[in-house]
Amino acid sequence: MSQYEGATADPPVEAASPAPEEGARLGVATMVIALARFMVVLDGTIMIVALPSIQKALKISPGNLNWVINGYSLTFGGLLLVAGRVGDVYGRKKVFTTGLVLFGAASLAGGLAPNGGTLIAFRLLQGVGAAIATPGALSLLVATFPEGKPRTKALGIYGGVTGLASVLGLVLGGVLTTYASWRWVLLVNVPVVVAIIFGLNALKEGEPARRVRIDIPGAITATLGAGSLVFGVNRVSDHGWSDVTVISCLIAAGVLLAVFAFIQRTGAEPMIPREVLSDRGRTGANVVTLLMSTGSFATYYFLTLYMQQVLGYSALRTGLMYLPLAVGFGIAAGGVGPVLMARAPERIALSLALAIAAAGSGWFTFLTKDSNVWSMVMPASLITGIGLGATTVVATTIGVRGIDSSEAGIGSSLLTASSQIGGALGLAGLATVAATTTRHAAAGTALPDALVNGYTAGFKVAVGLYVVGILVALLTVKPFKGGGEVRAQKA
């Protein structure tokens, strides 16, 4: 028996070793899903380092430049829930392929854009393609890989790739912009999309989806509510929390999402089947994902500002300094995450992963303007990467556990929506904390010290969020006793 009380409710399901042909197919399937996830997440950050070059080349006004980033996150975050449900109803592989083709076409057109308006339009379209493809990637993973070690390993790679891509986006953005052109941060997606499409035959469609109508009122309120929230939060960085448009968007988001929740509780065929959130552990995994993303996206933001504004690093050098964080994510995906899942109860595994992330972010709270990058920034980045990567692996595994493949699309889109919204909230909320701290500190200290005071205040909030995540994990995640899978309601 495990040293942890209640470690398992039932013996873990062990899948038989696959035949060589089946093993090869699963290997291709892993590569296809990992590439798709990597590409979509990468595009959330790869443009950041290229923004100055884009502004100069296309003569985009400072007020519109942020739409190169926010346009993508707006359509991506706003359409996730609807896209996940559409895949469950009309076929995951078909919808996944449609999203990939749309994403690739928008990447090609955006990379060739002659002006800023055209680029922003195709970034919006990229977000639509990403929203359509993303739920399909995880739901096809659930359908393709059997319960037990094969699925756990695939989920580990999927979770690790999620964190790795967001970090490597900063690295690749700097490299491509410096040695090729900013256009390649978009054009690089095209051959990746082609490679993924050639490997689609390795994926299984899974259990046939129920042919039911889409919850139209739920789809409208979810899309408008999530879109209003993402738009309002993204606007905070430039206009502040007191901006009339920000306040209006947040109020509208609250009302629309409340109506959406009411529709889900009372509707005959809700967009989110009640069984999907019937397990408290899955709900807890979504909350932990939101909290982790709030802290992690702010971490990338503060580290970038620290290295460029305090240490004076170039964009390329800043990007390369994220390699230890990327290595940490790789270690988590290949070892720490799966080992925690195998040797500890889920709630303990998730809590330990968050504790590692909190330790890394806590290390950053000791930064000064004279900190040595080799003894401070790099080891702290490595530990943070391991913690965030392991948390992503474990939370993703818990978030889709027991979900029937016919509902996997909406289940996976909930996790991704939690990540997207958490990231937007982190950039807005923690950036406000840092700016306020810097403003107060600037009255009595030099600017570099004031800036660092602001960044470390943000890191402290991130640590607090991870601690709250630990409490959520301990209170919500229990041994799964579903006796099988979450079954869809009968129409």
Side-chain angles (χ1 to χ4, degrees):
M1 182 175 178
S2 170
Q3 58 180 315
Y4 301 104
E5 184 178 357
T8 55
D10 298 296
V13 179
E14 295 291 342
S17 298
E21 297 80 4
E22 180 69 3
R25 185 187 66 81
L26 291 179
V28 173
T30 301
M31 183 185 68
V32 166
I33 293 170
L35 270 178
R37 181 59 175 165
F38 184 86
M39 178 182 65
V40 168
V41 176
L42 188 80
D43 257 61
T45 57
I46 195 172
M47 300 290 289
I48 293 175
V49 179
L51 284 178
S53 299
I54 293 172
Q55 183 178 24
K56 182 178 179 181
L58 301 184
K59 297 178 174 58
I60 303 176
S61 67
N64 290 327
L65 185 63
N66 65 333
W67 277 103
V68 176
I69 303 297
N70 293 347
Y72 181 79
S73 62
L74 177 64
T75 51
F76 187 9
L79 293 172
L80 270 169
L81 291 179
V82 177
R85 193 59 182 149
V86 168
D88 285 338
V89 173
Y90 295 109
R92 293 160 213 85
K93 191 181 289 189
K94 181 195 304 182
V95 172
F96 177 62
T97 306
T98 301
L100 283 175
V101 171
L102 182 60
F103 185 90
S107 297
L108 176 61
L112 301 175
N115 55 61
T118 304
L119 174 62
I120 291 170
F122 283 115
R123 282 290 284 171
L124 288 163
L125 196 59
Q126 259 192 311
V128 176
I132 295 172
T134 296
L138 187 52
S139 58
L140 286 168
L141 184 154
V142 172
T144 300
F145 292 86
E147 285 277 8
K149 288 184 178 179
R151 184 180 296 177
T152 299
K153 182 179 179 180
L155 284 170
I157 294 173
Y158 181 92
V161 160
T162 299
L164 187 65
S166 62
V167 176
L168 284 182
L170 299 168
V171 179
L172 292 177
V175 171
L176 290 173
T177 302
T178 301
Y179 294 108
S181 163
W182 67 265
R183 296 184 181 277
W184 278 100
V185 301
L186 290 165
L187 296 176
V188 72
N189 293 324
V190 177
V192 178
V193 169
V194 172
I196 293 170
I197 291 175
F198 273 109
L200 286 177
N201 287 337
L203 302 177
K204 289 184 177 180
E205 175 68 33
E207 183 177 326
R210 296 181 302 133
R211 298 290 172 175
V212 298
R213 63 180 180 83
I214 296 292
D215 172 18
I216 300 297
I220 293 173
T221 52
T223 300
L224 294 179
S228 296
L229 179 60
V230 172
F231 178 82
V233 170
N234 279 333
R235 187 178 169 86
V236 169
S237 60
D238 292 324
H239 301 277
W241 290 98
S242 60
D243 179 66
V244 174
T245 303
V246 170
I247 295 173
S248 300
C249 285
L250 296 181
I251 291 174
V255 172
L256 288 165
L257 293 176
V259 173
F260 172 71
F262 176 78
I263 293 171
Q264 301 312 290
R265 287 177 61 87
T266 60
E269 293 180 344
M271 180 180 296
I272 303 177
R274 296 176 183 93
E275 292 90 338
V276 170
L277 294 179
S278 62
D279 176 52
R280 286 199 308 165
R282 285 193 293 268
T283 303
N286 278 278
V287 174
V288 166
T289 298
L290 186 145
L291 292 168
M292 179 198 68
S293 298
T294 302
S296 64
F297 275 73
T299 296
Y300 308 152
Y301 178 71
F302 294 139
L303 280 179
T304 298
L305 293 180
Y306 174 76
M307 287 186 282
Q308 292 191 348
Q309 295 185 359
V310 177
L311 301 183
Y313 285 3
S314 65
L316 177 60
R317 189 175 181 185
T318 298
L320 293 175
M321 288 302 297
Y322 277 102
L323 287 176
L325 198 63
V327 170
F329 276 108
I331 292 172
V336 176
V339 167
L340 285 176
M341 288 294 297
R343 299 189 179 183
E346 289 173 329
R347 65 190 179 98
I348 301 299
L350 188 54
S351 299
L352 288 174
L354 283 165
I356 297 171
S361 291
W363 200 335
F364 283 128
T365 64
F366 295 100
L367 282 174
T368 70
K369 67 181 179 64
D370 300 313
S371 292
N372 185 291
V373 293
W374 296 99
S375 61
M376 171 67 80
V377 177
M378 297 186 75
S381 296
L382 179 64
I383 292 174
T384 302
I386 293 173
L388 293 175
T391 301
T392 303
V393 170
V394 179
T396 302
T397 303
I398 297 171
V400 298
R401 69 178 184 181
I403 293 182
D404 186 86
S405 63
S406 67
E407 307 292 356
I410 190 64
S412 62
S413 65
L414 280 171
L415 282 168
T416 308
S418 297
S419 178
Q420 282 291 112
I421 292 171
L425 288 172
L427 287 177
L430 273 69
T432 301
V433 170
T436 302
T437 304
T438 296
R439 188 165 54 250
H440 289 309
T445 185
L447 181 59
D449 291 310
L451 289 172
V452 174
N453 285 341
Y455 305 152
T456 55
F459 287 126
K460 289 174 184 176
V461 176
V463 172
L465 291 170
Y466 300 148
V467 171
V468 173
I470 292 173
L471 294 176
V472 171
L474 293 174
L475 292 173
T476 61
V477 180
K478 305 295 181 184
F480 184 61
K481 299 179 180 179
E485 299 175 320
V486 175
R487 294 295 173 187
Q489 291 177 316
K490 292 182 179 180

